[in-house]
Amino acid sequence: MSEDPAATLVFLRAGLAEECREHAYIVIVRTREELARWLSDPKPGAEGLQVEGLIGDPDAWALAAQGSKAIPLDVVLQDPASEFSALYRLADVRAVRVTLPVKPGFMKALRLAASLQLPVRLLPGQPEPAVLPELREAARFYLHDPMVEAPVEFFHSVFAAFRGSPQGTLWEILEQDPAIFSHRDDEGRALHPPDFVERHLSALIQDGTACATCRWQPLCAGYFKYPDPRYDCTGVKQLFAALESAADDISRDLASQEEENPAAWSTLSTR
Ligand code: SF4
Protein backbone atom coordinates (compact mmCIF):
# COMPACT_ATOMS: atom_id res chain seq x y z
CA MET A 1 0.00 0.00 0.00
CA SER A 2 0.94 3.61 -0.46
CA GLU A 3 2.00 5.53 2.68
CA ASP A 4 -1.18 7.51 2.20
CA PRO A 5 -3.94 4.96 1.55
CA ALA A 6 -6.42 7.75 0.88
CA ALA A 7 -4.36 8.72 -2.18
CA THR A 8 -4.53 5.20 -3.64
CA LEU A 9 -7.21 3.94 -5.99
CA VAL A 10 -7.70 0.19 -5.50
CA PHE A 11 -8.78 -2.11 -8.37
CA LEU A 12 -10.41 -5.29 -7.17
CA ARG A 13 -12.83 -8.02 -8.20
CA ALA A 14 -16.51 -7.55 -7.59
CA GLY A 15 -16.69 -10.22 -4.86
CA LEU A 16 -13.95 -8.54 -2.80
CA ALA A 17 -15.40 -5.08 -3.40
CA GLU A 18 -18.50 -6.03 -1.40
CA GLU A 19 -16.38 -5.85 1.76
CA CYS A 20 -14.21 -2.90 0.74
CA ARG A 21 -15.05 0.14 2.86
CA GLU A 22 -11.81 1.96 3.50
CA HIS A 23 -10.59 3.15 0.09
CA ALA A 24 -11.65 4.67 -3.15
CA TYR A 25 -11.89 1.71 -5.46
CA ILE A 26 -12.69 0.50 -8.95
CA VAL A 27 -14.77 -2.66 -9.18
CA ILE A 28 -13.74 -5.21 -11.83
CA VAL A 29 -16.89 -6.86 -13.19
CA ARG A 30 -16.83 -9.85 -15.52
CA THR A 31 -20.43 -11.03 -15.62
CA ARG A 32 -23.74 -9.41 -16.53
CA GLU A 33 -24.99 -10.11 -13.02
CA GLU A 34 -22.03 -8.28 -11.45
CA LEU A 35 -22.53 -5.37 -13.84
CA ALA A 36 -26.23 -5.17 -12.96
CA ARG A 37 -25.51 -5.31 -9.24
CA TRP A 38 -22.91 -2.50 -9.28
CA LEU A 39 -24.85 -0.34 -11.71
CA SER A 40 -27.99 -0.46 -9.62
CA ASP A 41 -26.45 0.10 -6.19
CA PRO A 42 -22.83 1.30 -6.20
CA LYS A 43 -21.47 1.32 -2.65
CA PRO A 44 -19.71 4.32 -1.12
CA GLY A 45 -16.13 4.53 -2.37
CA ALA A 46 -16.87 2.81 -5.69
CA GLU A 47 -15.53 5.32 -8.19
CA GLY A 48 -16.06 3.29 -11.33
CA LEU A 49 -16.47 -0.14 -12.88
CA GLN A 50 -13.83 -1.85 -15.01
CA VAL A 51 -15.88 -4.07 -17.30
CA GLU A 52 -14.01 -7.04 -18.74
CA GLY A 53 -15.15 -9.64 -21.26
CA LEU A 54 -18.69 -8.27 -21.69
CA ILE A 55 -18.52 -6.28 -24.92
CA GLY A 56 -20.05 -9.27 -26.76
CA ASP A 57 -23.13 -9.32 -24.50
CA PRO A 58 -25.81 -7.00 -25.96
CA ASP A 59 -28.09 -7.49 -22.93
CA ALA A 60 -25.38 -6.14 -20.63
CA TRP A 61 -25.22 -2.90 -22.63
CA ALA A 62 -28.99 -2.56 -22.89
CA LEU A 63 -28.96 -2.75 -19.10
CA ALA A 64 -26.15 -0.20 -18.79
CA ALA A 65 -27.94 2.22 -21.12
CA GLN A 66 -30.99 2.13 -18.83
CA GLY A 67 -28.96 2.77 -15.66
CA SER A 68 -30.05 5.87 -13.78
CA LYS A 69 -26.77 6.20 -11.82
CA ALA A 70 -23.85 7.54 -13.80
CA ILE A 71 -21.00 5.51 -12.31
CA PRO A 72 -18.12 5.70 -14.82
CA LEU A 73 -17.45 2.56 -16.84
CA ASP A 74 -14.12 1.52 -18.35
CA VAL A 75 -14.88 -1.13 -20.97
CA VAL A 76 -11.82 -3.29 -21.63
CA LEU A 77 -11.59 -5.11 -24.96
CA GLN A 78 -9.41 -8.20 -25.15
CA ASP A 79 -9.08 -8.44 -28.94
CA PRO A 80 -9.96 -5.09 -30.52
CA ALA A 81 -9.57 -6.40 -34.08
CA SER A 82 -12.40 -8.92 -33.66
CA GLU A 83 -14.51 -7.09 -31.06
CA PHE A 84 -14.53 -3.58 -32.52
CA SER A 85 -17.96 -3.70 -34.19
CA ALA A 86 -19.58 -4.35 -30.78
CA LEU A 87 -18.55 -0.86 -29.66
CA TYR A 88 -21.79 0.40 -31.20
CA ARG A 89 -23.46 -1.11 -28.16
CA LEU A 90 -21.90 1.63 -26.03
CA ALA A 91 -23.47 4.47 -28.02
CA ASP A 92 -26.28 5.00 -25.48
CA VAL A 93 -24.27 4.31 -22.35
CA ARG A 94 -23.24 7.32 -20.28
CA ALA A 95 -19.81 8.01 -18.76
CA VAL A 96 -17.98 5.27 -20.60
CA ARG A 97 -14.35 4.89 -21.68
CA VAL A 98 -12.87 2.18 -23.86
CA THR A 99 -9.54 0.50 -23.07
CA LEU A 100 -7.75 -1.15 -25.97
CA PRO A 101 -4.64 -3.32 -25.79
CA VAL A 102 -2.27 -2.39 -28.62
CA LYS A 103 -2.60 -5.56 -30.69
CA PRO A 104 -2.69 -5.90 -34.49
CA GLY A 105 -5.95 -4.46 -35.83
CA PHE A 106 -6.63 -2.20 -32.82
CA MET A 107 -6.99 0.83 -35.15
CA LYS A 108 -10.43 -0.39 -36.24
CA ALA A 109 -11.64 -0.13 -32.65
CA LEU A 110 -9.91 3.23 -32.14
CA ARG A 111 -11.58 4.71 -35.23
CA LEU A 112 -15.01 3.48 -34.24
CA ALA A 113 -14.63 4.63 -30.62
CA ALA A 114 -13.55 8.07 -31.88
CA SER A 115 -16.53 8.27 -34.23
CA LEU A 116 -18.77 7.55 -31.21
CA GLN A 117 -16.84 10.26 -29.31
CA LEU A 118 -15.77 7.82 -26.63
CA PRO A 119 -12.58 8.47 -24.66
CA VAL A 120 -9.98 5.77 -25.25
CA ARG A 121 -7.04 4.42 -23.29
CA LEU A 122 -4.49 2.51 -25.34
CA LEU A 123 -2.45 0.00 -23.35
CA PRO A 124 0.77 -0.36 -25.31
CA GLY A 125 2.59 -2.89 -23.13
CA GLN A 126 5.71 -3.82 -25.10
CA PRO A 127 4.38 -3.36 -28.63
CA GLU A 128 5.55 -5.99 -31.12
CA PRO A 129 7.43 -4.74 -34.19
CA ALA A 130 4.43 -5.77 -36.34
CA VAL A 131 2.10 -3.38 -34.49
CA LEU A 132 4.43 -0.35 -34.35
CA PRO A 133 3.33 1.06 -37.76
CA GLU A 134 -0.29 0.86 -36.54
CA LEU A 135 0.68 2.66 -33.32
CA ARG A 136 2.28 5.45 -35.35
CA GLU A 137 -0.85 5.61 -37.52
CA ALA A 138 -2.93 5.88 -34.33
CA ALA A 139 -0.80 8.82 -33.15
CA ARG A 140 -1.29 10.58 -36.50
CA PHE A 141 -5.01 9.88 -36.28
CA TYR A 142 -5.15 11.37 -32.76
CA LEU A 143 -3.13 14.42 -33.78
CA HIS A 144 -4.73 15.27 -37.12
CA ASP A 145 -8.15 13.68 -37.64
CA PRO A 146 -11.03 16.10 -36.96
CA MET A 147 -13.19 13.14 -35.94
CA VAL A 148 -11.17 12.82 -32.71
CA GLU A 149 -12.84 14.91 -30.03
CA ALA A 150 -12.49 12.81 -26.88
CA PRO A 151 -9.03 12.12 -25.36
CA VAL A 152 -6.99 9.17 -26.61
CA GLU A 153 -4.59 8.13 -23.87
CA PHE A 154 -1.63 7.80 -23.66
CA PHE A 155 -1.17 10.18 -26.58
CA HIS A 156 -3.27 12.91 -24.98
CA SER A 157 -1.27 13.21 -21.76
CA VAL A 158 2.12 12.68 -23.40
CA PHE A 159 1.28 15.43 -25.89
CA ALA A 160 0.19 17.71 -23.02
CA ALA A 161 3.45 16.95 -21.19
CA PHE A 162 5.43 17.97 -24.27
CA ARG A 163 3.43 21.19 -24.34
CA GLY A 164 4.68 21.97 -20.83
CA SER A 165 1.88 20.62 -18.66
CA PRO A 166 3.32 18.00 -16.24
CA GLN A 167 1.36 14.73 -16.37
CA GLY A 168 3.49 12.33 -14.31
CA THR A 169 5.08 9.27 -15.83
CA LEU A 170 3.61 6.92 -18.41
CA TRP A 171 2.87 4.51 -15.56
CA GLU A 172 0.62 7.14 -13.97
CA ILE A 173 -0.95 8.21 -17.27
CA LEU A 174 -1.89 4.59 -17.96
CA GLU A 175 -3.13 4.04 -14.39
CA GLN A 176 -0.49 1.40 -13.78
CA ASP A 177 1.70 3.05 -11.12
CA PRO A 178 1.11 0.97 -7.97
CA ALA A 179 1.90 4.00 -5.78
CA ILE A 180 -1.41 5.49 -6.96
CA PHE A 181 -3.31 2.62 -8.61
CA SER A 182 -3.21 -0.54 -6.54
CA HIS A 183 -4.27 -3.49 -8.69
CA ARG A 184 -5.24 -6.56 -6.65
CA ASP A 185 -5.33 -10.26 -7.45
CA ASP A 186 -8.36 -12.49 -6.87
CA GLU A 187 -7.36 -12.84 -3.21
CA GLY A 188 -7.10 -9.08 -2.72
CA ARG A 189 -3.28 -8.98 -2.61
CA ALA A 190 -1.48 -6.08 -4.32
CA LEU A 191 0.18 -7.23 -7.56
CA HIS A 192 3.14 -4.87 -7.00
CA PRO A 193 4.49 -2.87 -4.05
CA PRO A 194 3.87 0.91 -4.05
CA ASP A 195 7.53 1.68 -4.88
CA PHE A 196 7.54 -0.69 -7.87
CA VAL A 197 8.22 1.97 -10.55
CA GLU A 198 11.05 3.55 -8.56
CA ARG A 199 12.71 0.17 -8.00
CA HIS A 200 12.15 -0.96 -11.59
CA LEU A 201 13.79 2.16 -13.02
CA SER A 202 16.69 2.03 -10.54
CA ALA A 203 17.38 -1.58 -11.50
CA LEU A 204 17.30 -0.70 -15.22
CA ILE A 205 19.79 2.12 -14.67
CA GLN A 206 22.07 0.00 -12.49
CA ASP A 207 22.02 -2.75 -15.11
CA GLY A 208 23.18 -0.28 -17.75
CA THR A 209 20.12 -0.54 -20.00
CA ALA A 210 19.33 2.21 -22.50
CA CYS A 211 17.07 3.84 -19.89
CA ALA A 212 20.16 5.23 -18.15
CA THR A 213 20.77 7.78 -20.89
CA CYS A 214 17.38 7.87 -22.61
CA ARG A 215 16.01 11.36 -23.12
CA TRP A 216 12.44 10.09 -22.60
CA GLN A 217 13.23 8.59 -19.20
CA PRO A 218 11.55 11.31 -17.04
CA LEU A 219 8.27 10.64 -18.83
CA CYS A 220 8.61 6.93 -19.60
CA ALA A 221 10.34 5.77 -16.38
CA GLY A 222 11.25 2.46 -18.00
CA TYR A 223 7.65 1.62 -18.94
CA PHE A 224 8.61 -0.13 -22.17
CA LYS A 225 11.30 -2.22 -20.46
CA TYR A 226 8.69 -4.16 -18.50
CA PRO A 227 8.34 -7.08 -18.24
CA ASP A 228 11.25 -7.77 -20.63
CA PRO A 229 14.18 -5.40 -19.94
CA ARG A 230 15.70 -6.42 -23.30
CA TYR A 231 12.83 -4.87 -25.26
CA ASP A 232 14.13 -2.75 -28.15
CA CYS A 233 12.70 0.77 -27.70
CA THR A 234 13.63 2.13 -31.14
CA GLY A 235 10.01 2.23 -32.32
CA VAL A 236 8.56 3.77 -29.16
CA LYS A 237 11.31 6.40 -29.06
CA GLN A 238 10.30 7.41 -32.60
CA LEU A 239 6.72 7.68 -31.37
CA PHE A 240 7.75 9.96 -28.47
CA ALA A 241 9.76 12.07 -30.94
CA ALA A 242 6.76 12.39 -33.28
CA LEU A 243 4.49 13.51 -30.44
CA GLU A 244 7.11 15.99 -29.21
CA SER A 245 7.57 17.39 -32.70
CA ALA A 246 3.79 17.85 -33.11
CA ALA A 247 3.62 19.58 -29.71
CA ASP A 248 6.48 21.91 -30.72
CA ASP A 249 4.71 22.74 -34.00
CA ILE A 250 1.52 23.67 -32.18
CA SER A 251 3.39 25.77 -29.60
CA ARG A 252 5.20 27.60 -32.42
CA ASP A 253 1.96 28.18 -34.36
CA LEU A 254 0.22 29.55 -31.29
CA ALA A 255 3.18 31.81 -30.48
CA SER A 256 3.21 33.24 -34.00
CA GLN A 257 -0.57 33.80 -33.93
CA GLU A 258 -0.13 35.59 -30.62
CA GLU A 259 2.54 37.82 -32.16
CA GLU A 260 0.28 38.64 -35.10
CA ASN A 261 -2.77 39.45 -32.97
CA PRO A 262 -1.72 40.17 -29.36
CA ALA A 263 -4.97 41.99 -28.48
CA ALA A 264 -7.15 38.97 -29.27
CA TRP A 265 -4.85 36.71 -27.26
CA SER A 266 -4.84 39.03 -24.30
CA THR A 267 -8.66 38.99 -24.33
CA LEU A 268 -8.65 35.19 -24.51
CA SER A 269 -6.14 34.86 -21.69
CA THR A 270 -8.34 36.88 -19.31
CA ARG A 271 -11.35 34.58 -19.80
S1 SF4 B 1 11.86 4.65 -24.04
FE1 SF4 B 1 12.82 2.68 -23.53
S2 SF4 B 1 14.94 3.24 -23.04
FE2 SF4 B 1 13.74 5.12 -22.91
S3 SF4 B 1 13.14 5.28 -20.74
FE3 SF4 B 1 11.48 4.23 -21.88
S4 SF4 B 1 11.92 2.06 -21.57
FE4 SF4 B 1 13.81 3.17 -21.10
Side-chain angles (χ1 to χ4, degrees):
M1 292 295 302
S2 142
E3 285 179 12
D4 178 8
T8 305
L9 187 61
V10 173
F11 290 68
L12 74 180
R13 290 280 291 117
L16 295 170
E18 295 292 351
E19 303 305 320
C20 182
R21 304 192 196 287
E22 296 182 32
H23 310 291
Y25 55 94
I26 300 291
V27 184
I28 302 170
V29 297
R30 293 181 182 150
T31 67
R32 193 192 310 156
E33 291 70 29
E34 289 173 351
L35 180 64
R37 181 260 169 274
W38 284 92
L39 279 174
S40 64
D41 183 24
K43 292 159 65 78
E47 298 206 344
L49 307 183
Q50 179 171 304
V51 187
E52 298 180 354
L54 287 183
I55 193 65
D57 180 347
D59 292 343
W61 301 111
L63 188 80
Q66 291 162 9
S68 56
K69 301 213 170 61
I71 186 166
L73 305 182
D74 183 16
V75 180
V76 182
L77 269 56
Q78 266 124 33
D79 181 17
S82 64
E83 295 173 321
F84 76 100
S85 60
L87 287 175
Y88 279 116
R89 294 175 181 152
L90 305 182
D92 296 325
V93 180
R94 290 182 296 160
V96 63
R97 178 182 76 175
V98 178
T99 289
L100 306 174
V102 171
K103 294 180 177 176
F106 79 91
M107 264 307 289
K108 292 185 218 168
L110 174 58
R111 284 184 189 282
L112 184 51
S115 74
L116 295 167
Q117 299 183 5
L118 298 173
V120 171
R121 174 178 60 150
L122 297 177
L123 290 180
Q126 293 186 305
E128 303 163 21
V131 85
L132 283 167
E134 202 171 340
L135 194 55
R136 285 194 290 274
E137 185 190 346
R140 279 193 297 274
F141 176 70
Y142 161 73
L143 289 168
H144 302 298
D145 197 299
M147 184 161 63
V148 179
E149 293 186 8
V152 177
E153 295 292 5
F154 56 101
F155 300 146
H156 189 74
S157 293
V158 167
F159 185 72
F162 289 143
R163 294 218 52 231
S165 166
Q167 303 290 319
T169 69
L170 203 51
W171 296 94
E172 291 171 60
I173 291 167
L174 291 168
E175 301 162 23
Q176 292 180 333
D177 183 344
I180 307 169
F181 304 99
S182 181
H183 294 263
R184 304 296 174 84
D185 66 13
D186 287 352
E187 310 300 321
R189 295 171 298 222
L191 295 179
H192 297 290
D195 60 353
F196 167 78
V197 173
E198 201 181 312
R199 285 200 213 182
H200 167 65
L201 183 57
S202 293
L204 288 168
I205 292 170
Q206 273 173 15
D207 292 347
T209 69
C211 296
T213 55
C214 178
R215 64 174 296 222
W216 312 111
Q217 189 222 90
L219 178 63
C220 174
Y223 181 91
F224 291 106
K225 295 283 189 195
Y226 182 82
D228 183 358
R230 295 162 304 170
Y231 180 77
D232 178 356
C233 287
T234 306
V236 294
K237 288 179 179 178
Q238 288 168 349
L239 188 69
F240 280 139
L243 288 165
E244 185 185 54
S245 168
D248 289 348
D249 288 348
I250 293 223
S251 298
R252 258 194 311 276
D253 287 353
L254 291 175
S256 76
Q257 284 174 32
E258 190 173 3
E259 271 173 31
E260 283 166 18
N261 195 351
W265 281 89
S266 111
T267 307
L268 281 174
S269 65
T270 58
R271 282 184 187 166

